[in-house]
Amino acid sequence: MKIIIGSDHGGFSLKKKIIDHIKKQNLDFFDAGCYSTESVDYPEYGKKVAVAVSDQQYDRGIVVCGTGIGISIAANKVKGIRCALVHDITSAKLTREHNDSNVLAMGGRIVDHDTALEIVDIWLKTEFAGGRHLRRIQAIEN
Ligand code: RB5
């Protein structure tokens, strides 16, 4: 699985932890920035990750800003993207099973960082359940 990960300055420290975590698992990933805590604008990184997933250059994307809200809104503007803002383990599992979310958003200033790593693990390994959920995600597309 190929993963692209991006953040603004508010998500930078959590993004670094996620990268260290997924490196240990030998997962194939690309860091789309930002690359420091200098203030940047989250739409740029939300869009960059979302477009790469939408274009099928990557299988999944992870985006992080301070709250996760702005960057998830930006990612969801890209066609074919189902970006889920998740701060708990149950939602991480259910958004894969029910929504086939292809981008995960988190708030680096909101979620406990150890919990965030657990969220990443569950979100990456959980499969889409299909069935009635397929009809529903198809209905989201315009
Ligand atoms: C940046 O200060 C902050 O607004 C951003 O990281 C995010 O929380 C926006 O939704």
Side-chain angles (χ1 to χ4, degrees):
M1 182 189 298
K2 290 178 69 180
I3 302 157
I4 181 166
I5 178 163
S7 76
D8 74 353
H9 56 288
F12 180 70
S13 94
L14 177 55
K15 185 187 69 165
K16 274 203 303 188
K17 288 182 184 159
I18 295 170
I19 288 174
D20 289 344
H21 184 68
I22 62 180
K23 263 187 187 166
K24 286 184 203 149
Q25 302 176 38
N26 286 324
L27 289 166
D28 186 357
F29 79 95
F30 177 70
D31 181 359
C34 64
Y35 303 111
S36 77
T37 53
E38 188 184 329
S39 182
V40 292
D41 295 335
Y42 60 80
E44 177 181 343
Y45 300 94
K47 188 174 177 185
K48 195 169 169 185
V49 168
V51 166
V53 173
S54 178
D55 288 350
Q56 300 184 330
Q57 297 169 47
Y58 291 88
D59 303 303
R60 303 268 194 93
I62 299 174
V63 291
V64 192
C65 68
T67 59
I69 297 170
I71 206 158
S72 64
I73 292 170
N76 274 316
K77 289 287 180 184
V78 175
K79 190 165 174 60
I81 293 305
R82 292 177 299 279
C83 176
L85 174 56
V86 171
H87 289 141
D88 66 276
I89 306 291
T90 304
S91 301
K93 184 167 185 283
L94 290 177
T95 188
R96 285 289 311 134
E97 289 179 351
H98 292 193
N99 316 123
D100 196 19
S101 52
N102 47 14
V103 178
L104 169 68
M106 289 184 288
R109 295 171 180 158
I110 303 292
V111 69
D112 166 80
H113 287 191
D114 289 333
T115 304
L117 300 183
E118 283 186 60
I119 287 170
V120 167
D121 287 344
I122 301 250
W123 185 77
L124 288 175
K125 78 173 188 208
T126 304
E127 298 292 334
F128 179 46
R132 68 189 185 281
H133 302 296
L134 179 61
R135 178 179 75 240
R136 292 166 184 166
I137 66 165
Q138 283 170 340
I140 294 170
E141 292 298 320
N142 50 24

